[in-house]
Amino acid sequence: MTDEHWMQHAITLAARAEQQGEVPVGAVLVKNDHILGEGWNQMIGLNDPSAHAEMQAIRAAAVNVGNYRLVDCSLYVTLEPCCMCAGVMVHSRIKRLIFGTHDAKTGAAGSVLNVVQHHQFNHQL
C-alpha cells in the first residue's frame, strides 16, 4: 500500500469526525500494511480534550499490540499534530509521521514547534 492509500483512509476518518460535529481530523496507524489503530477527533462528543484523532489511533494500536511502544509504525493524519499528540508519538516510538497539511496555529511537527524531531528527546520520528 502507498502513503496516498493510507492518507485517503485518514481523510475518510476525518469525514466521520465532521459528520459528528467535530473538527474534521482523522488518523490511522499502520505497520507492515496492516491497520493497528485508527481514530478521528471526538473531543466534543466525549467531553475529552485529549480525544484527538492521533490519540485515539495510538490508544487503539497500543491495546491491539499489547504494548505502548509502537516501533516501526507509521501514523497518517490529516492535520499536523499538536504538541500533546506529538509528545505521545515520541513516547510511543512511532517511526514515521505523514500529515496532510500544516497547522500554523498549533503544529508541533515543524510549523510552530518541532517536538517530533527534538534532538534532546530519546526518540525522533
Side-chain angles (χ1 to χ4, degrees):
M1 302 283 182
T2 64
D3 287 343
E4 291 82 10
H5 169 83
W6 295 117
M7 184 58 70
Q8 187 58 54
H9 185 74
I11 290 168
T12 300
L13 296 168
R16 193 175 296 178
E18 185 175 39
Q19 291 167 354
Q20 295 174 0
E22 302 277 355
V23 175
V25 179
V28 60
L29 195 104
V30 176
K31 183 174 183 178
N32 299 327
D33 284 330
H34 291 93
I35 295 173
L36 298 182
E38 60 184 27
W40 55 93
N41 275 358
Q42 297 183 62
M43 290 91 61
I44 297 167
L46 295 177
N47 296 311
D48 180 354
S50 73
H52 291 196
E54 304 95 309
M55 299 290 279
Q56 303 293 70
I58 291 167
R59 286 173 181 151
V63 168
N64 285 336
V65 301
N67 195 332
Y68 77 93
R69 290 186 175 161
L70 301 169
V71 178
D72 293 327
C73 293
S74 297
L75 181 67
Y76 297 84
V77 60
T78 57
L79 181 65
E80 180 181 2
C82 70
C83 60
M84 173 185 67
C85 293
V88 169
M89 289 174 210
V90 169
H91 190 63
S92 62
R93 315 301 199 276
I94 291 171
K95 184 176 184 176
R96 295 177 64 223
L97 167 65
I98 303 90
F99 61 88
T101 190
H102 291 276
D103 185 345
K105 291 182 184 179
T106 64
S111 291
V112 177
L113 302 169
N114 197 353
V115 172
V116 297
Q117 293 182 331
H118 196 283
H119 69 280
Q120 289 184 308
F121 290 152
N122 63 329
H123 176 77
Q124 292 83 35
L125 280 71

